[in-house]
Amino acid sequence: MQAEEVWGQRWTMNTLPMARAYMEVACRKQSLVCLAADRSTMAGLFDLIETVGASIAALKTHVDLVDDWTPEAWSKFCAAAKKADLLIFEDRKFADIGGISRKQMAGVYNIRGWSDLVTAHLISGPDIVDGLQAAWSDVGREGGVLLLAQMSSRGNLLEPAYTAKVVAKGKAHSGVFGFIGNGSRPDELVLLRDAVGDGKLIWTPGVNLAVGDGEMGQRYGHPRDAVLAGSDCVIVGSGIHKADNPGEQAAAYAKASWDALCNR
Ligand code: S5P
């Protein structure tokens, strides 16, 4: 199916190449799932790409939680992700001033060299987006920033007035790919979508087919409800990587998210 036909206004109002790349991958895979690949070993990570790669559109990493990380193994892992037609999203949640965030994109992990997307808090002001964009430019690459506008964890401090400011500043910036919204609360997502409009994407963690409370204050909503409320991508971690059959589960999340998009 053509991306424009499926995504409608979200496609026509968004000319950012990385956003369109995502919308096209989602159509090829018939999936709006970003896997939160929160496993601590390289073997566990490779296994995930192999078993669920066909059912997901993007791969979210926390590069600093891998016990046996090496640059060589990581570069092979990224190559495997690209081969599986996945966008690579490092969920680093940058929050420092622009110049330091730019340097943190280099360093041991060299995030600027392999990430297509990264997350950032706007708590330090909008220059963080320029710092992250400068880091990708430093190595001749392009990437997009997802700003945390809401969070899924209970008691978080991203209150509506803060969310509104993040959206107002982020909407106007071409380096911003989109926003992280709270997938566990469809009513909050509807408000976020109203504020964001169609020009930027909203990606949502806090999603599980088993709705309710998770570990340590995490909260979960259903993938269908998140997409119907305006999410463009459901970020799913333990619902897939801790399942007895991750392949089967990933396919179920893909179907729930894709069917909801087609209904929307
Ligand atoms: O508000 C948030 C933002 C993010 S990016 N809540 C989240 O849970 N996340 C991330 O999504 C978190 O870092 C983790 O990698 C993933 C959720 O994993 P799950 O196992 O709870 O599905």
Side-chain angles (χ1 to χ4, degrees), residues 12 21 26 50 73 75 97 109 152 166 173 176 196 241-242 260 264:
T12 44
E50 209 163 290
S75 131
I97 58 172
Y109 295 120
S152 62
V166 171
H173 203 306
V176 173
V196 169
H241 67 75
K242 281 195 184 159
R264 187 170 89 189

PDB file of all heavy atoms in Angstrom, residues 12 21 26 50 73 75 97 109 152 166 173 176 196 241-242 260 264:
ATOM      1  N   THR A  12       1.360  14.000   4.039  1.00  0.00           N
ATOM      2  CA  THR A  12       1.409  15.223   3.223  1.00  0.00           C
ATOM      3  C   THR A  12       1.933  16.421   4.014  1.00  0.00           C
ATOM      4  O   THR A  12       2.580  17.291   3.453  1.00  0.00           O
ATOM      5  CB  THR A  12       0.028  15.554   2.626  1.00  0.00           C
ATOM      6  OG1 THR A  12      -0.957  15.380   3.642  1.00  0.00           O
ATOM      7  CG2 THR A  12      -0.327  14.665   1.473  1.00  0.00           C
ATOM      8  N   ALA A  21      10.823   8.340   5.703  1.00  0.00           N
ATOM      9  CA  ALA A  21      11.493   7.030   5.662  1.00  0.00           C
ATOM     10  C   ALA A  21      10.791   6.087   6.640  1.00  0.00           C
ATOM     11  O   ALA A  21      10.504   4.930   6.309  1.00  0.00           O
ATOM     12  CB  ALA A  21      12.967   7.174   6.012  1.00  0.00           C
ATOM     13  N   ALA A  26       7.206   1.466   7.730  1.00  0.00           N
ATOM     14  CA  ALA A  26       6.010   0.943   8.402  1.00  0.00           C
ATOM     15  C   ALA A  26       5.069   0.289   7.386  1.00  0.00           C
ATOM     16  O   ALA A  26       4.471  -0.761   7.662  1.00  0.00           O
ATOM     17  CB  ALA A  26       5.302   2.061   9.153  1.00  0.00           C
ATOM     18  N   GLU A  50      16.945 -11.311  14.667  1.00  0.00           N
ATOM     19  CA  GLU A  50      16.636 -12.473  13.852  1.00  0.00           C
ATOM     20  C   GLU A  50      15.186 -12.928  14.030  1.00  0.00           C
ATOM     21  O   GLU A  50      14.502 -13.232  13.055  1.00  0.00           O
ATOM     22  CB  GLU A  50      17.577 -13.605  14.262  1.00  0.00           C
ATOM     23  CG  GLU A  50      17.862 -14.560  13.141  1.00  0.00           C
ATOM     24  CD  GLU A  50      19.096 -15.373  13.495  1.00  0.00           C
ATOM     25  OE1 GLU A  50      20.206 -14.804  13.515  1.00  0.00           O
ATOM     26  OE2 GLU A  50      18.904 -16.560  13.797  1.00  0.00           O
ATOM     27  N   ALA A  73      31.307  -5.591  17.770  1.00  0.00           N
ATOM     28  CA  ALA A  73      30.023  -6.303  17.852  1.00  0.00           C
ATOM     29  C   ALA A  73      28.871  -5.335  17.539  1.00  0.00           C
ATOM     30  O   ALA A  73      27.916  -5.688  16.840  1.00  0.00           O
ATOM     31  CB  ALA A  73      29.843  -6.903  19.245  1.00  0.00           C
ATOM     32  N   SER A  75      28.929  -2.661  15.674  1.00  0.00           N
ATOM     33  CA  SER A  75      28.848  -2.313  14.263  1.00  0.00           C
ATOM     34  C   SER A  75      28.203  -3.443  13.454  1.00  0.00           C
ATOM     35  O   SER A  75      27.405  -3.205  12.544  1.00  0.00           O
ATOM     36  CB  SER A  75      30.251  -1.878  13.820  1.00  0.00           C
ATOM     37  OG  SER A  75      30.629  -2.488  12.690  1.00  0.00           O
ATOM     38  N   ILE A  97      23.434  20.812  28.045  1.00  0.00           N
ATOM     39  CA  ILE A  97      23.490  21.961  27.140  1.00  0.00           C
ATOM     40  C   ILE A  97      23.938  21.491  25.750  1.00  0.00           C
ATOM     41  O   ILE A  97      24.514  20.397  25.610  1.00  0.00           O
ATOM     42  CB  ILE A  97      24.448  23.048  27.687  1.00  0.00           C
ATOM     43  CG1 ILE A  97      25.860  22.474  27.895  1.00  0.00           C
ATOM     44  CG2 ILE A  97      23.913  23.614  28.990  1.00  0.00           C
ATOM     45  CD1 ILE A  97      26.905  23.525  28.251  1.00  0.00           C
ATOM     46  N   TYR A 109      30.811   5.423  22.635  1.00  0.00           N
ATOM     47  CA  TYR A 109      29.727   4.777  21.887  1.00  0.00           C
ATOM     48  C   TYR A 109      29.509   5.362  20.504  1.00  0.00           C
ATOM     49  O   TYR A 109      28.886   4.745  19.659  1.00  0.00           O
ATOM     50  CB  TYR A 109      28.425   4.849  22.704  1.00  0.00           C
ATOM     51  CG  TYR A 109      28.478   4.060  23.985  1.00  0.00           C
ATOM     52  CD1 TYR A 109      28.295   4.670  25.212  1.00  0.00           C
ATOM     53  CD2 TYR A 109      28.718   2.691  23.950  1.00  0.00           C
ATOM     54  CE1 TYR A 109      28.342   3.938  26.393  1.00  0.00           C
ATOM     55  CE2 TYR A 109      28.773   1.951  25.120  1.00  0.00           C
ATOM     56  CZ  TYR A 109      28.586   2.577  26.348  1.00  0.00           C
ATOM     57  OH  TYR A 109      28.640   1.847  27.491  1.00  0.00           O
ATOM     58  N   SER A 152       5.699   7.749  30.312  1.00  0.00           N
ATOM     59  CA  SER A 152       4.742   6.705  30.682  1.00  0.00           C
ATOM     60  C   SER A 152       4.805   6.347  32.166  1.00  0.00           C
ATOM     61  O   SER A 152       3.892   5.710  32.681  1.00  0.00           O
ATOM     62  CB  SER A 152       5.025   5.443  29.856  1.00  0.00           C
ATOM     63  OG  SER A 152       6.321   4.950  30.143  1.00  0.00           O
ATOM     64  N   VAL A 166       7.237  22.249  25.304  1.00  0.00           N
ATOM     65  CA  VAL A 166       8.084  21.366  24.488  1.00  0.00           C
ATOM     66  C   VAL A 166       7.511  21.278  23.067  1.00  0.00           C
ATOM     67  O   VAL A 166       8.238  21.392  22.070  1.00  0.00           O
ATOM     68  CB  VAL A 166       8.182  19.950  25.121  1.00  0.00           C
ATOM     69  CG1 VAL A 166       8.873  18.975  24.175  1.00  0.00           C
ATOM     70  CG2 VAL A 166       8.926  20.019  26.448  1.00  0.00           C
ATOM     71  N   HIS A 173      10.972  23.339  14.849  1.00  0.00           N
ATOM     72  CA  HIS A 173      12.379  23.024  14.578  1.00  0.00           C
ATOM     73  C   HIS A 173      12.500  21.880  13.562  1.00  0.00           C
ATOM     74  O   HIS A 173      11.964  20.797  13.804  1.00  0.00           O
ATOM     75  CB  HIS A 173      13.058  22.643  15.897  1.00  0.00           C
ATOM     76  CG  HIS A 173      14.544  22.817  15.875  1.00  0.00           C
ATOM     77  ND1 HIS A 173      15.349  22.236  14.919  1.00  0.00           N
ATOM     78  CD2 HIS A 173      15.378  23.517  16.684  1.00  0.00           C
ATOM     79  CE1 HIS A 173      16.602  22.560  15.147  1.00  0.00           C
ATOM     80  NE2 HIS A 173      16.651  23.351  16.212  1.00  0.00           N
ATOM     81  N   VAL A 176      13.760  18.424  14.701  1.00  0.00           N
ATOM     82  CA  VAL A 176      12.912  17.585  15.559  1.00  0.00           C
ATOM     83  C   VAL A 176      12.082  16.653  14.677  1.00  0.00           C
ATOM     84  O   VAL A 176      11.295  17.091  13.840  1.00  0.00           O
ATOM     85  CB  VAL A 176      11.994  18.454  16.454  1.00  0.00           C
ATOM     86  CG1 VAL A 176      10.993  17.592  17.212  1.00  0.00           C
ATOM     87  CG2 VAL A 176      12.841  19.265  17.436  1.00  0.00           C
ATOM     88  N   VAL A 196       0.179  18.977  18.689  1.00  0.00           N
ATOM     89  CA  VAL A 196       1.256  18.726  17.713  1.00  0.00           C
ATOM     90  C   VAL A 196       0.778  18.964  16.274  1.00  0.00           C
ATOM     91  O   VAL A 196       1.521  19.466  15.444  1.00  0.00           O
ATOM     92  CB  VAL A 196       1.804  17.284  17.873  1.00  0.00           C
ATOM     93  CG1 VAL A 196       2.729  16.902  16.726  1.00  0.00           C
ATOM     94  CG2 VAL A 196       2.533  17.129  19.210  1.00  0.00           C
ATOM     95  N   HIS A 241      10.338  -8.741  24.077  1.00  0.00           N
ATOM     96  CA  HIS A 241      11.609  -9.438  24.340  1.00  0.00           C
ATOM     97  C   HIS A 241      11.571 -10.369  25.541  1.00  0.00           C
ATOM     98  O   HIS A 241      12.422 -11.235  25.680  1.00  0.00           O
ATOM     99  CB  HIS A 241      12.788  -8.453  24.426  1.00  0.00           C
ATOM    100  CG  HIS A 241      12.778  -7.518  25.591  1.00  0.00           C
ATOM    101  ND1 HIS A 241      13.090  -7.914  26.860  1.00  0.00           N
ATOM    102  CD2 HIS A 241      12.514  -6.183  25.669  1.00  0.00           C
ATOM    103  CE1 HIS A 241      13.014  -6.865  27.680  1.00  0.00           C
ATOM    104  NE2 HIS A 241      12.655  -5.807  26.980  1.00  0.00           N
ATOM    105  N   LYS A 242      10.533 -10.208  26.402  1.00  0.00           N
ATOM    106  CA  LYS A 242      10.431 -11.147  27.528  1.00  0.00           C
ATOM    107  C   LYS A 242       9.376 -12.220  27.277  1.00  0.00           C
ATOM    108  O   LYS A 242       9.108 -13.047  28.152  1.00  0.00           O
ATOM    109  CB  LYS A 242      10.092 -10.389  28.819  1.00  0.00           C
ATOM    110  CG  LYS A 242      11.294  -9.706  29.441  1.00  0.00           C
ATOM    111  CD  LYS A 242      10.984  -9.292  30.875  1.00  0.00           C
ATOM    112  CE  LYS A 242      12.140  -8.518  31.490  1.00  0.00           C
ATOM    113  NZ  LYS A 242      11.683  -7.701  32.626  1.00  0.00           N
ATOM    114  N   ALA A 260      -5.033  -0.722  13.435  1.00  0.00           N
ATOM    115  CA  ALA A 260      -5.528   0.538  14.017  1.00  0.00           C
ATOM    116  C   ALA A 260      -5.221   1.708  13.087  1.00  0.00           C
ATOM    117  O   ALA A 260      -6.044   2.603  12.901  1.00  0.00           O
ATOM    118  CB  ALA A 260      -4.897   0.762  15.395  1.00  0.00           C
ATOM    119  N   ARG A 264      -7.822   4.218  11.409  1.00  0.00           N
ATOM    120  CA  ARG A 264      -7.733   5.652  11.690  1.00  0.00           C
ATOM    121  C   ARG A 264      -7.877   6.440  10.400  1.00  0.00           C
ATOM    122  O   ARG A 264      -8.569   7.423  10.326  1.00  0.00           O
ATOM    123  CB  ARG A 264      -6.357   5.937  12.333  1.00  0.00           C
ATOM    124  CG  ARG A 264      -6.187   7.339  12.825  1.00  0.00           C
ATOM    125  CD  ARG A 264      -4.927   7.439  13.651  1.00  0.00           C
ATOM    126  NE  ARG A 264      -3.767   7.760  12.814  1.00  0.00           N
ATOM    127  CZ  ARG A 264      -2.491   7.737  13.231  1.00  0.00           C
ATOM    128  NH1 ARG A 264      -2.221   7.349  14.445  1.00  0.00           N
ATOM    129  NH2 ARG A 264      -1.519   8.053  12.433  1.00  0.00           N
TER     130      ARG A 264
END
